[in-house]
Every structure is written in C-alpha cells, then in structure tokens.
Amino acid sequence: MKPFTFDQIPIMMNKIHDKLDYLEKLIARISTVEENKEELLNIKEASKLLNLSVSTIYSKVCKREIPFNKQGKRIYFYRHELMKWIKSGRVKTYFEIEDDIVKRSKI
C-alpha cells in the first residue's frame, strides 16, 4: 500500500466507510439466510409456501413423499428441507441432457 497525503484522508475515510457498510449488509444477509435455514413451519405455513392444500400436504406426509418432522400428533417442516425437496424435482432442459450425454461419452 502506498502512502497517501493529508488531503486524501477524507477520500480514504469515505472508501473505508463504504466498504464497511457493504460488509455489514453482507453479514446481515448471510445471517438472515442462516435463520431461514432453521425456520420451522407448521402445516398451514408449509401449505402456503408450497401452494398446496393442507389435505394434499397430509396426503404427501402419509405417503412419505415430503420431508417432515413429527412431535406427538403435530407435524412440522423445515423451510430449507421443503425448498430442497422442490429443487430435487427439477426437470432438466434438453441442452442439459445433451451436455450430460457428451460428458459421459468422454469418460
């Protein structure tokens, strides 16, 4: 780092302040994501998140098609598990399938 002049101090302080502000926002966003990871949902909240009826959710629980937790007679869901479950059903595009075939043929 090269030395700076006395006249450059206000500019450098502004840069430091901007970087600090950016880091604080980044940390806040990361901690929010971590909190959401452990967010526990009841069946009505899961129904709203998945845009499915409560009876459909119960049906999927009975068939063990959806990740859930049971404590006594109550059923709970972790938001991150439901999101992972949704993502697991993603259908690949034709381009992705072709790309997989090309990669496998190179092995």
Side-chain angles (χ1 to χ4, degrees):
M1 187 169 124
K2 65 180 183 177
F4 50 91
T5 66
F6 183 77
D7 294 334
Q8 292 174 319
I9 290 177
I11 295 168
M12 298 302 286
M13 290 300 292
N14 279 336
K15 287 182 179 181
I16 291 171
H17 181 269
D18 291 344
K19 288 182 179 183
L20 185 60
D21 190 42
Y22 171 77
L23 289 172
E24 286 174 341
K25 289 177 183 175
L26 189 62
I27 290 169
R29 193 172 0 151
I30 289 170
S31 63
T32 302
V33 168
E34 289 300 316
E35 288 172 8
N36 285 342
K37 226 178 191 183
E38 292 301 318
E39 187 176 354
L40 199 59
L41 307 174
N42 63 31
I43 195 149
K44 287 182 183 177
E45 293 165 331
S47 168
K48 188 175 180 180
L49 174 70
L50 299 174
N51 198 25
L52 297 171
S53 69
V54 172
S55 61
T56 301
I57 299 285
Y58 276 121
S59 172
K60 290 190 177 298
V61 166
C62 286
K63 295 175 186 175
R64 297 190 183 275
E65 294 177 355
I66 190 169
F68 68 96
N69 297 283
K70 189 170 183 182
Q71 189 65 30
K73 293 183 178 182
R74 302 251 181 203
I75 298 172
Y76 299 99
F77 306 86
Y78 282 106
R79 177 184 293 275
H80 75 279
E81 288 180 350
L82 292 178
M83 298 309 290
K84 186 177 175 182
W85 175 72
I86 291 170
K87 290 176 185 176
S88 72
R90 183 179 178 278
V91 178
K92 291 184 177 184
T93 65
Y94 288 120
F95 179 76
E96 290 170 328
I97 294 169
E98 261 183 27
D99 195 40
D100 287 346
I101 292 169
V102 170
K103 286 179 184 175
R104 287 183 189 156
S105 67
K106 290 181 180 180
I107 295 176

